[in-house]
Amino acid sequence: MNISTDDLRFLRELQDELNTQEHFCQADPRFWVVTTLEWRLCTEDDDIGRVDFYDESELVSSKTLQEALDCAYKAALDMGGEDYASSWLDDHGYLDLDDEGHVSTIGCRQSEIERAIEDYASSFCFDVTYKCAHRVIAKNTMFLTYRECCEHIERNGYHYEDPKPYAMTAWRSPQVERFVSILQNADFTDGGDAR
């Protein structure tokens, strides 16, 4: 197979980008992946990032911790008015309202927060799980340049949750190291030799 003029132009442009792009403190041979959030059940040391409500193992709704607490307070308010809702707050430790009318958890233990949410859920016969997010590498993502990774995220970000570009080094792969070195150092002019 002969390399076309378009292929050579592509290789020259790629080489220039590889040699001039920001390194982000990542050693060669570097490549880029997309990271995304993945949710798992919380342990007692984790911060709650999401509360899932289930009805007979079917997900009914998924809320942030703040949204779940605000829903619980609103349900208490709707059920018995301001006195009842105030009593509900008092019954759950240090829960209070902030200046904007949201339930504040400042000074609360996680067990108090969970008990408030579980009381709310049980009044609707829901089961509750608490989830926390951790960042993972999205499957099937690999890019030679930062720009291309960012463009992919811009076009396809809806496939991920909070996508971010992430630089990695393929230092355990001599073949990738050699390939990237060739891309960075070869002379892609017509008939040129490697530098």
Side-chain angles (χ1 to χ4, degrees), residues 29-177:
R30 94 185 49 76
F31 64 97
W32 301 89
V33 295
V34 175
T35 63
T36 186
L37 295 181
E38 189 173 89
W39 294 90
R40 64 170 171 76
L41 291 175
C42 289
T43 63
E44 79 178 42
D45 295 330
D46 293 324
D47 291 330
I48 298 170
R50 187 172 84 189
V51 181
D52 290 345
F53 296 97
Y54 293 89
D55 182 13
E56 296 181 16
S57 74
E58 184 176 322
L59 182 65
V60 174
S61 69
S62 189
K63 300 184 179 305
T64 67
L65 180 63
Q66 187 64 59
E67 290 168 342
L69 285 168
D70 288 345
C71 282
Y73 176 75
K74 185 177 181 324
L77 193 61
D78 291 346
M79 187 182 308
E82 285 188 33
D83 288 341
Y84 180 80
S86 179
S87 174
W88 179 86
L89 287 171
D90 292 341
D91 289 346
H92 293 94
Y94 294 98
L95 291 179
D96 202 356
L97 293 180
D98 65 17
D99 294 338
E100 297 176 7
H102 297 289
V103 177
S104 172
T105 59
I106 295 172
C108 290
R109 293 188 309 268
Q110 186 162 317
S111 61
E112 294 167 333
I113 295 167
E114 289 176 9
R115 188 168 60 86
I117 291 171
E118 287 162 9
D119 286 351
Y120 161 72
S122 68
S123 68
F124 291 95
C125 298
F126 291 152
D127 292 318
V128 179
T129 60
Y130 303 100
K131 304 273 181 87
C132 62
H134 65 279
R135 195 155 283 285
V136 296
I137 296 171
K139 293 178 181 174
N140 303 318
T141 61
M142 186 273 184
F143 305 93
L144 288 175
T145 65
Y146 176 72
R147 175 197 49 79
E148 185 183 29
C149 186
C150 291
E151 287 174 357
H152 170 77
I153 290 170
E154 192 174 308
R155 285 190 313 271
N156 301 288
Y158 59 91
H159 290 294
Y160 312 104
E161 188 166 344
D162 190 30
K164 305 258 188 259
Y166 185 75
M168 297 186 72
T169 300
W171 66 272
R172 292 185 182 185
S173 176
Q175 290 177 332
V176 171
E177 184 173 10

